[in-house]
Amino acid sequence: HGGFIAPRVRLVTPIDSPRASSNARLRTPASQRASRTSKEKTRAMMNTNTRVALLFACLAACVTGVQAADGDAIAPFFGFMGAMASIVFSCFGAAYGTAKSGVGIASMGVMRPELVMKSIVPVVMAGVLGIYGLIVSVIIATNIHPTGYTLFQGYAHLGSGLTTGLAGLAAGMAIGIIGDAGVRANAQQPKLFTGMLLMLIFAEALALYGLIVGIILSSAGSSAGSE
């Protein structure tokens, strides 16, 4: 009346309220929330079981192919897989150790730049892991021949590569975690440097154990081929 325009009022229903979803979750019975959680865990477990089943299916297919065909004809495949596993897994460990400890060194170097070169030890020790994998990979690759290469040699070289590579991967993860936390702590307490160095040495020893066993397995395969 008299040109007065009534303002438009928008009624906010509980569904449109920002707190509606959170309130609905709070009103959800505990049994339903537990049921949803169990369903999510079951789904994740099923995905993991599917991956494991596919892995075993691939292994079974490889074994079936070896049994169906001439074993010596397929033996070089296992030898080359061993050479690949040695260098790839070792480089994975070296890359993780370098990146993880490098993050800690960069963060620490902002406040204590004079300690950067002293804290570079984890990066050096992580880089050595790639050399371990390279050594075993070269040894395996130089002993693979197109003729006269038996299945025994292929299995020995595959075990040699996996031993060296996975040991290097484990050592790289340990070096990265220790190096990241160690260089940060050493910047605040210099007395921790010796303890950090000892932890890094024992982590590096894991890769050295794998290198020793890998060389022994590779030598066993090579000696079998020379007989």
Side-chain angles (χ1 to χ4, degrees):
H1 301 282
F4 176 75
I5 299 175
R8 295 181 179 179
V9 179
R10 182 176 180 269
L11 297 178
V12 179
T13 61
I15 298 178
D16 298 330
S17 176
R19 299 181 180 178
S21 58
S22 60
N23 292 335
R25 284 195 297 268
L26 292 176
R27 289 195 300 267
T28 302
S31 59
Q32 294 184 8
R33 292 197 299 268
S35 177
R36 292 176 184 175
T37 305
S38 62
K39 288 181 180 179
E40 293 176 357
K41 291 182 179 179
T42 305
R43 191 178 298 109
M45 187 178 300
M46 290 178 62
N47 293 334
T48 304
N49 293 336
T50 302
R51 296 189 185 99
V52 174
L54 288 175
L55 176 61
F56 280 109
C58 293
L59 293 176
C62 293
V63 174
T64 304
V66 171
Q67 294 175 353
D70 185 11
D72 293 343
I74 304 178
F77 167 78
F78 294 101
F80 286 120
M81 287 296 292
M84 179 273 296
S86 175
I87 186 67
V88 168
F89 287 125
S90 295
C91 287
F92 278 168
Y96 181 84
T98 302
K100 184 72 172 175
S101 57
V103 170
I105 294 173
S107 300
M108 178 273 303
V110 175
M111 302 300 296
R112 301 290 299 276
E114 69 276 4
L115 295 178
V116 171
M117 295 307 299
K118 184 180 180 181
S119 302
I120 208 73
V121 177
V123 176
V124 176
M125 299 184 75
V128 175
L129 301 177
I131 299 177
Y132 293 165
L134 177 64
I135 293 173
V136 175
S137 182
V138 170
I139 293 175
I140 294 174
T142 53
N143 286 283
I144 300 176
H145 307 287
T147 57
Y149 190 77
T150 63
L151 197 58
F152 175 83
Q153 293 175 278
Y155 285 151
H157 289 160
L158 177 63
S160 174
L162 288 175
T163 301
T164 306
L166 293 178
L169 177 61
M173 295 179 67
I175 289 173
I177 296 173
I178 294 171
D180 184 19
V183 296
R184 296 172 189 265
N186 180 63
Q188 300 180 10
Q189 177 54 262
K191 293 181 181 180
L192 295 175
F193 181 77
T194 304
M196 180 190 71
L197 199 61
L198 287 175
M199 288 185 285
L200 290 172
I201 290 173
F202 281 104
E204 182 82 13
L206 301 176
L208 187 60
Y209 302 154
L211 174 66
I212 294 172
V213 176
I215 292 176
I216 293 174
L217 291 174
S218 179
S219 301
S222 302
S223 61
S226 61
E227 294 178 356

